[in-house]
Amino acid sequence: MTTENIFFKTEILPQGIAWIKVDMAGYPTNLFTLEFQKTYLQTVNALLNRADIKGLILTSARKDFMAGADVGELLRIQNTPNLILEHLQTLHRGILANEAIQKPMVSIISGHALGGGFELALTTHHRIATAGRYKIGLPEASLGLFPGAGGTIKLSKMLGIEKAAPILLKGTTFSPKDALTAGLIHDLVEYPEIAFEDAVAWILTHPNVIQPWNMSSENKGLRSPAEHMTMTASIGNLRKATHGNYPGLNYCLAAIHDGVDLPIERALDIEARYFIKTLLSKEAKSMIRTNFFGINQAKKGKNRTNGTLTTPIQKLGILGAGMMGAGIAYVAAKAGIDVILKDISITQAEKGKVYAEQTTHRALTLGRTTRDKADQLLDHIKPTDSYAYLADCDLIIEAVFEDPKLKKLVTHEAEVFLHEKGFFASNTSSLPITKLAKASIHPERFIGIHFFSPVDRMPLIEIIKGEKTNQETLARAVDFANQLGKVPIVVNDSPGFFTSRIFGKYNLEAVNMLLEGVSPIVLENVAKRAGLAVGPLAVMDEISLDLMADVLQQNEQRTPVEEQMLELIEWMVRAGRKGKKAGKGFYDYPEGQRKTIWQHPYSSEISMEISTADIQKRLMHIQALDSYRCLEEGVLESTMDGDIGSVLGLGFAPQTGGVFSYIDQIGLPAFIADCRRFRQYGEQWEVPKSLLKLAQRGFTFYTGLRENDRDNNKTE
């Protein structure tokens, strides 16, 4: 007998086992929605209370087991905490009531089981996974949350704090093999058919079962000195790693500490209350908006023109086999694209392929790929010193040195080999695309595709439209970024575009403070405490100071503050302090030892006292202020692109959700008041008149998930 509803089908097998196949009609994937939870619990309770039912098997009819909670649904009800608490309490009561029946339940996982999806699997007693390339786990920490549907307490009681805390606090997800090792699943088999047979057999041989968190002897809490030490260490490590910037992680540890030794009913209630506090935090709201909705929309191609049909890139030409060219070649080959890697000599071109060889070798050593897949990837890359091999490329990307004359030359020489419908791109990080496109015979098919280093680890691609770039070329560039598995943002042409321009302001303010007498150690530590990925001095060393000097020199309209920065950088370069590659810059890099900050008096006297709070604000505010200028000038077309670009490309503090969400968290009036107070440090702190007017209107850049229109403060 088979019954069905909009969420799943239920079949009664001849062995007296109920089989629930989740297949949520009207949803792109299975989601742990409120209505699903209600229907699932009621159905399972009715089945388990039947005398003829021995147990239950839970599977998915979709590719994924369950992708997680419906985050949008959570945000729609986040301002009704009492309603959320009531729902979570009802959910937990229902799950515990079904567990009390003690009939065996088995889940078979053959696709992503993440967040609420894995918490659904935890409602069963036995979890079997099948082999495949998918993830199992609780990634809520990446959104500023923690598992709130039982996952936090159940995992802590089941695995013990020592094993559970890192998984919960890092948002770790696992391959099926690693999930078995970690204790998240009980068995791993090759095929779904075998899993189903094993599930039936397990149910028939385990007629009465109890979940580990319902067995006092199995609960692993704070009952031993070792677990107390683990909890203390977890608190210390969390503070060290996050500097208290993520309330959700603090609440997660509090839920574990307060609840892990209590009976499961009380423990789950504590988890639910801390989860609601997390959901209401400004950090969680901002991170969900940017890291979940914003990035997912970008991956779906929100920046391309709807209706423009494109074909995937099959053959890619890359000019320049240096660090960037080699990285682009690797990620393209990994995506199954044939790559022609061109340099001035075959020796240089082959050096570029070595990067892919080394990277695949590491992946092979770590068990992340197979020999066949590694060989297939490397077979996609052909090094050459001849333009002729570029014939019929769908796309050619130049990744040569940041020299306009050189870029003009290689564009002219290579473009003629493009497929008749192909397009050309520059990987420049700052040179105006419109000027570079003048070397092209088809400027409408010329665009900027700015990758970030290291290419294989940095998820962002900044796509830059020149004045003549047409919509088809833009759509193809966005689709190419998605083909590589990257997150694209689209900006309009301007010196430095968005990311390089804002990055420059960050570095400028850091150098400005050095010259005012701020200790370099204090500067770096404050940046890290703020949540910025890397301190400004360390990141300038990584780029190399001679390159930074070249970029500054190209700007013929330098401000006084930029002029003094150039003077310092040039002085350091003349002294041989060119950055990490030279073994010394703002830091010293002794051979085989840890780097140490260079203790040099950048200023002969301290001109003013600057609090650590103001140091942090200046490093953060300056990026947000100039991002607004980019929006006002039309470099950015949306605040979300600014937020995504700042977090993924610049390492802007993730807990803020990005530069514009950061302003919303502070509030425009307070933000402007700070900027006006900082005007004494340079003209870079001048507040645009349009921003003052927005503040007078009580403007915010976002309302919930939606961007606000600056013209009328309505959602777009």
Side-chain angles (χ1 to χ4, degrees), residues 285-302:
K285 293 177 183 178
S286 297
M287 291 179 72
I288 290 170
R289 182 172 56 232
T290 300
N291 295 5
F292 186 80
F293 288 99
I295 288 176
N296 282 341
Q297 286 299 311
K299 286 181 175 179
K300 293 176 182 177
K302 78 174 181 70

Side-chain angles (χ1 to χ4, degrees), residues 42-60:
Q42 290 174 345
T43 301
V44 169
N45 187 264
L47 288 167
L48 295 181
N49 274 302
R50 284 173 49 173
D52 61 327
I53 297 297
K54 297 183 176 70
L56 182 147
I57 296 173
L58 176 66
T59 67
S60 169

